[in-house]
């Protein structure tokens, strides 16, 4: 019996596919990484009996990054990132141990079937999986085929079984096009981002952005928004005049006529036309025409149109809409949501999809009428050769999906029903009048067949006043003629829907990446989302784009990125060489980068006008150890300290508050210490601004506070305040937070574990003595007599937090509130050492993991 490994892109997808293929007769177990399950069943594979193992990854297995020192912003010239800096594939999420998990499951398997998403990213993940699994699979006999690719567009029994019966091969060229895009975006984006971030954050204090990023797609996307902003700012309103006439076909009714000249911009000429027409007493009918017109039903739905409608009509951002669509797809409610195609294949079961919607109360009548009278063949759209259009795959109710999930599903379903409905037909009547020498017109529309607008009422022909029955030569009394003075108005800021249209038109990004680029310019504080989901550029976004235009307009115009996208598509089609495209594109951007660096003064001139220099920003906080003058604390992102006298800037921990720490100084450099805190429920620790940026010891890294400092005698260091190894992570040490009293706590200096203990104690000190059982430092606790929880009304006790039975009921393990639950560890409370073997700096032995820590703390685990 052969063993077949099958891999999907998400755990929920693997479960759904396995359930269909095994007809529910399968066993399931958790994989070693805890995130992915393995579903096993027996069946037939290519005419032979087989044991199937269905599992998944969680998106990309690997990610591209620079090696070693090239990840340091301080040690490497950004120009080296274009060619000299070597790259490597690293695990995208090391905590998941995905490569190890795949190898464990793949060991001894004979074949592999890849059920990754059927787009270019999916093809790329196919080869990431193969790189991990092939070395441990059984070796094939001579020319025996062992690698198979399943192509599917929806999670339905029919589609999944059809994919299993028509297995193909993964597409190496499409995978290479993704590799090329990843490397280009990494090298180009990092080089420009590092240079301009360091340059401008070193000069200006109120940029309010932690990263001044550049992206080959992100920057042209921002350029569209700023281009519209510039049009609004440069707009000068002009006054114009419109002649408006009203006629009275009957005594108590009036009809407003539109002037055929529309408007004039000269007041005197407008007045002349008014005077001429006022001489006439009646309006004469010059012609009456009636035409049957058609409003076409929509094309089948693709990703870009779905994102446009989600933003404009449903008020959902593109990123949010895409996440909801992916969830609906995973649950089997809709077909694959990433597609450029707007044309249904000839063999698509339109009636089958329609029948599933026959019982929904919102559109049951429309669907039943279509099924009985016969559906209309959808309009011929564009076939991009990827996936069928986005279609509902099974019925759903509002109660099932709820909220935004239902709203998006409802739109997708209504759109699908509309594509197989009739066109909307209406009769348009146009009456032309003459008042003196001037011509006027009025138009009326009468719906004769609503067609698809019944299911998409927002597209319906608006109800208008019915026009009077008249013939050529009829005369109507004039009720009123007047001159209206108006002004031209500027365009509004771009909506997300309009921006998506521009990105698609100019080839910026793909249907999958467009939402990411729009989300990026919002997250980086380059634009803000205003009412109506309009994108208004911030001062920083405007200055950046104007600076790019001033130095090299091609950095922000869509032309060069559009050309790159075409080359990437040629790689995917096998018509362009991967290495040549990569080398040529990087050479172009390397030249542009050098010119940008040489010309940065041009952008700096614009920055000077809009932003304040560091010396004029922030408020005095702590003293510099070099000049002993006050350094200023700059709260705007990224928060930092700046000494204007020494012209030095010091990075600080982010996403918390910073305050002076008792005016105490670092014994190494005389800088005043500051205290970082994530809030009352989170962690806090002191740090020396200089040591935080320039580690004083070899075993320290940049960005370490006093709770990780290995100074042997400093009263704030790990050596003096460290208690014992963290109960959850392998490398962390629980350190006493000496500022936390009377609600005392110790916190891990690596992960987000917090241990609350000895509430209302007067003093808590770390003793130089250690526990005989676990080597953790003992703790001396001093309580006030009135509040002492110690037995026998004692006020003082010294013991081990982990092992002492007196302390056991006074200890409570929690997690810092600042961190997302997914970062809570959960890898099991593994045994093992902390920071190396032997003795810690300062003479104390390394704390062991207490053997009975689970007994001591499990009851308090939150």
């Amino acid at each position: 019996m052969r063993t077949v490994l099958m891999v999907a892109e998400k755990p929920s997808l693997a479960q759904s596919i396995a359930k269909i293929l095994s007809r529910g007769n399968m066993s399931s177990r958790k994989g070693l990484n805890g995130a992915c399950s393995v579903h096993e069943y027996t069946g037939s594979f290519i005419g032979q009996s087989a044991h199937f193992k269905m599992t998944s990854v969680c998106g990309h297995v690997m990610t591209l990054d620079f090696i070693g020192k090239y990840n340091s912003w301080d040690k490497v010239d950004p120009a080296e990132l274009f060619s000299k800096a070597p790259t490597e594939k690293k695990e995208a999420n090391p905590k998941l141990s995905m490569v190890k998990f795949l190898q464990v499951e793949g060991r001894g398997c004979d074949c592999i079937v890849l059920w990754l998403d059927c787009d270019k990213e999916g093809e790329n993940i196919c080869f990431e999986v193969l790189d991990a699994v092939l070395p441990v699979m059984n070796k094939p006999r001579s020319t025996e085929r062992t690698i198979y690719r399943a192509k599917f567009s929806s999670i339905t029994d029919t589609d999944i079984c059809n994919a299993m019966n028509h297995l193909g091969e993964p597409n190496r060229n499409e995978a290479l096009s993704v590799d090329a895009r990843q490397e280009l975006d990494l090298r180009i984006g990092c080089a420009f981002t590092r240079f301009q971030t360091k340059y401008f954050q070193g000069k200006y204090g109120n940029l309010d952005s932690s990263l001044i990023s550049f992206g080959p797609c992100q920057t042209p996307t921002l350029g569209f928004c700023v281009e519209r902003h510039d049009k609004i700012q440069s707009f000068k309103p002009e006054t114009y005049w419109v002649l408006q006439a009203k006629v009275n076909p009957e005594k108590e009714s009036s009809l407003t006529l539109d002037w055929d000249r529309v408007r004039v911009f000269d007041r005197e000429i407008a007045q002349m036309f008014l005077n001429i027409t006022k001489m006439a007493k009646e309006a004469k009918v010059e012609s009456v025409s009636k035409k049957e017109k058609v409003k076409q039903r929509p094309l089948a739905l693709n990703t870009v149109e779905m994102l446009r409608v989600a933003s404009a009509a449903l008020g959902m951002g593109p990123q949010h809409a895409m996440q909801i669509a992916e969830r609906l797809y995973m649950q089997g409610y809709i077909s694959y949501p990433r597609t450029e195609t707007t044309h249904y294949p000839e063999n698509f079961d339109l009636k089958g999809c329609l029948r599933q919607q026959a019982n929904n109360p919102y559109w049951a009548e429309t669907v039943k009428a279509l099924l009985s009278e016969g559906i209309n063949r959808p309009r011929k759209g564009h076939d991009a050769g990827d996936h069928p259009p986005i279609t509902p795959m099974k019925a759903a109710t509002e109660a099932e999906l709820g909220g935004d999930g239902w709203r998006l599903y409802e739109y997708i379903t209504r759109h699908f029903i509309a594509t197989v409905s009739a066109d909307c037909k209406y009769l348009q009547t146009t009456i032309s009048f003459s008042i003196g020498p001037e011509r006027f017109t009025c138009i009326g529309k009468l719906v004769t067949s609503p067609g698809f607008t019944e299911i998409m009422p927002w597209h319906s022909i608006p109800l208008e006043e019915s026009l009077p029955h008249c013939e050529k030569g009829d005369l109507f009394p004039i009720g009123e003629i007047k001159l209206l003075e108006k002004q031209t108005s500027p365009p509004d800021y771009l909506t997300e829907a309009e921006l998506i249209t521009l990105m698609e038109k100019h080839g910026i990004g793909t249907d999958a990446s467009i939402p990411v680029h729009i989300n990026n310019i919002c997250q980086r504080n380059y634009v803000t989302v205003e009412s109506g989901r309009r994108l208004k550029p911030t001062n920083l976004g405007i200055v950046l784009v104007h600076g790019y235009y001033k130095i090299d307009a091609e950095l922000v115009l869509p032309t060069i990125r559009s050309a790159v996208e075409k080359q990437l598509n040629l790689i995917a089609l096998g018509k362009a060489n991967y290495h040549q495209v990569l080398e040529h594109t990087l050479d172009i951007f390397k030249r542009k980068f050098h010119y940008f660096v040489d010309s940065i003064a041009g952008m700096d001139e614009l920055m000077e006008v809009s932003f304040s220099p560091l010396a004029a920003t922030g408020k005095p906080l702590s003293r510099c150890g070099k000049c002993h003058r006050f350094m200023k604390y700059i709260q705007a992102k990224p928060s930092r300290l700046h000494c204007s006298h020494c012209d030095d800037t010091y990075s600080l921990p982010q996403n918390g508050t910073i305050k002076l720490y008792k005016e105490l100084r670092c014994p190494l450099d005389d800088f005043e210490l500051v205290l970082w805190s994530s809030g009352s429920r989170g962690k806090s620790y002191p740090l020396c601004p200089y040591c935080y940026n320039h580690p004083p010891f070899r075993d320290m890294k940049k960005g370490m506070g006093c709770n990780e400092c290995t100074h042997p005698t400093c009263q704030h260091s790990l050596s003096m305040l460290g208690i014992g190894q963290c109960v959850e992570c392998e490398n962390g040490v629980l350190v006493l937070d000496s500022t936390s009293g009377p609600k005392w706590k110790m916190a891990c200096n690596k992960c987000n574990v917090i241990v609350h203990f000895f509430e209302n104690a007067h003093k808590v000190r770390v003793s130089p003595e250690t526990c005989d059982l676990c080597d953790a430092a003992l703790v001396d606790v001093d309580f006030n007599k009135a509040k002492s929880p110690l037995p026998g009304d004692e006020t003082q006790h010294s013991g081990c937090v982990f092992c002492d039975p007196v302390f056991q009921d006074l200890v409570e393990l929690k997690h810092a509130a600042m961190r997302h639950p997914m970062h809570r560890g959960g890898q099991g409370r593994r045994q093992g050492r902390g920071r190396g073997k032997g003795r810690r700096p300062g003479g104390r032995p390394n704390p062991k993991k207490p053997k009975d820590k689970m007994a001591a703390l499990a009851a308090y685990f939150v």
Side-chain angles (χ1 to χ4, degrees), residues 450-472:
F452 77 94
T453 61
E454 283 187 325
I455 196 70
M456 298 178 88
W458 56 92
H459 282 302
S460 59
I461 304 297
L463 292 171
E464 297 176 350
E465 288 183 61
S466 57
L467 297 183
H469 178 74
C470 58
E471 295 178 358
K472 183 178 178 180

Side-chain angles (χ1 to χ4, degrees), residues 258-313:
D258 296 320
W259 191 21
D260 283 10
R261 293 184 191 272
V262 184
R263 61 186 180 181
V264 293
F265 287 88
D266 189 305
R267 166 80 173 150
E268 291 182 8
I269 292 174
Q271 187 64 47
M272 177 193 74
F273 285 128
L274 177 65
N275 294 338
I276 291 171
T277 52
K278 274 197 167 182
M279 293 171 66
K281 302 297 181 189
E282 291 179 312
K284 183 181 178 182
V285 176
E286 294 294 336
S287 65
V288 179
S289 66
K290 294 189 178 186
K291 281 187 181 178
E292 273 210 354
K293 293 212 166 187
V294 172
K295 186 173 186 177
Q296 284 190 309
R297 59 193 181 279
L299 288 167
L301 186 64
N302 67 1
T303 306
V304 169
E305 181 62 19
M306 180 190 73
L307 295 177
R308 269 197 289 255
V309 173
S311 175

Side-chain angles (χ1 to χ4, degrees), residues 311-549:
S311 175
L314 304 180
M316 297 182 200
Q319 182 94 333
H320 179 55
M322 203 68 225
Q323 288 168 349
I324 292 170
E326 286 175 351
R327 192 184 78 219
L328 292 173
Y329 162 67
M330 292 290 188
Q331 294 170 340
Y333 289 107
I334 64 171
S335 62
Y336 192 62
R338 290 196 181 106
T339 177
E340 297 174 17
T341 294
T342 57
H343 177 72
Y344 284 108
E346 296 301 318
N347 61 350
F348 195 89
D349 186 9
L350 295 167
K351 283 188 178 179
C353 285
L354 199 57
R355 281 192 201 97
Q356 292 181 338
Q357 304 297 330
N359 295 318
N360 190 296
Y362 290 105
W363 45 74
E365 286 186 22
T366 305
V367 169
K368 286 173 182 174
L370 282 170
L371 289 170
S372 62
E373 295 167 13
I375 64 170
N376 291 274
R377 188 71 201 163
R379 289 168 57 197
K380 188 171 177 62
H382 168 66
D383 185 359
D386 49 359
H387 286 273
I390 304 168
T391 311
M393 299 314 295
K394 69 178 181 183
T397 63
E398 191 169 357
E400 275 178 75
L401 303 180
D404 289 345
W406 167 254
R407 292 167 64 223
L408 189 62
Y409 174 83
E410 180 186 11
Y411 169 71
I412 291 168
T413 305
R414 287 183 180 274
H415 190 109
F416 166 68
I417 297 169
T419 62
V420 294
S421 299
D423 291 335
C424 172
K425 295 177 182 177
Y426 61 94
L427 186 67
Q428 180 170 297
T429 304
T430 305
I431 306 175
S432 180
F433 293 88
S434 62
I435 302 177
E438 289 305 293
R439 289 292 186 100
F440 295 81
T441 304
C442 69
I443 296 172
K445 295 173 184 175
L446 180 66
V447 175
T448 56
S449 173
F452 77 94
T453 61
E454 283 187 325
I455 196 70
M456 298 178 88
W458 56 92
H459 282 302
S460 59
I461 304 297
L463 292 171
E464 297 176 350
E465 288 183 61
S466 57
L467 297 183
H469 178 74
C470 58
E471 295 178 358
K472 183 178 178 180
D474 288 353
L475 299 173
F476 292 99
I478 297 171
E480 178 187 34
I481 294 182
K482 62 181 178 182
L483 205 58
L484 301 178
E485 182 178 310
K486 297 186 177 183
Q487 279 195 327
T488 55
S489 57
D492 212 333
Y493 285 104
L494 282 178
T495 62
E496 285 173 332
E498 291 168 336
L499 179 57
I500 290 167
T501 302
L502 285 170
M503 292 174 75
E504 182 191 34
K505 176 183 175 183
H506 292 281
I508 301 299
T510 63
D511 52 1
S513 66
I514 282 173
V516 177
H517 302 314
I518 295 175
N519 187 59
N520 280 344
I521 63 172
C522 296
Q523 294 292 318
R524 304 278 156 79
N525 196 33
Y526 294 159
V527 299
T528 56
V529 182
E530 305 292 314
S531 62
R533 301 210 66 84
R534 294 190 178 275
L535 302 171
K536 184 178 181 181
T538 61
N539 216 8
L540 178 59
I542 294 164
V543 171
L544 280 175
V545 169
H546 288 175
Y548 294 134
Y549 271 117

Side-chain angles (χ1 to χ4, degrees), residues 4-131:
V4 181
L5 178 68
M6 304 199 292
V7 184
E9 192 155 322
K10 299 277 173 65
S12 58
L13 196 61
Q15 184 179 11
S16 300
I17 294 170
K19 200 171 183 180
I20 292 169
L21 294 175
S22 69
R23 298 180 181 175
N25 187 23
M26 64 182 187
S27 62
S28 301
R29 58 180 169 83
K30 275 284 182 188
L32 67 84
N33 63 2
C36 304
S37 295
V38 183
H39 312 283
E40 299 184 73
Y41 65 96
T42 54
S44 174
F45 184 71
I46 315 188
Q48 298 180 37
S49 60
H51 175 73
F52 292 92
K53 293 167 71 175
M54 181 71 183
T55 188
S56 73
V57 290
C58 295
H60 273 284
V61 179
M62 310 300 285
T63 187
L64 190 71
D65 203 357
F66 296 112
I67 66 165
K69 70 170 187 175
Y70 292 95
N71 279 313
S72 169
W73 287 37
D74 299 318
K75 296 178 181 177
V76 177
D77 181 352
E80 293 183 33
L81 302 181
F82 285 99
S83 53
K84 288 185 182 178
T87 59
E88 64 177 343
K89 290 271 189 177
K90 298 177 180 177
E91 283 206 51
N93 190 340
K95 289 183 179 179
L96 291 178
S97 303
M98 193 59 73
V99 171
K100 183 179 178 183
F101 165 68
L102 289 170
Q103 289 178 342
V104 167
E105 298 303 333
R107 182 166 281 107
C109 289
D110 300 295
C111 302
I112 182 168
V113 182
L114 300 157
W115 289 86
L116 286 307
D117 286 353
C118 299
D119 56 12
K120 290 172 187 170
E121 294 290 336
E123 296 302 320
N124 190 262
I125 300 172
C126 281
F127 287 93
E128 292 175 356
V129 171
L130 291 175
D131 288 343

Side-chain angles (χ1 to χ4, degrees), residues 111-114 130 134 137 145-149 168-170:
C111 302
I112 182 168
V113 182
L114 300 157
L130 291 175
L134 287 181
M137 286 176 58
R145 185 179 166 196
T146 59
I147 300 169
Y148 299 87
R149 176 74 163 107
E169 293 183 3

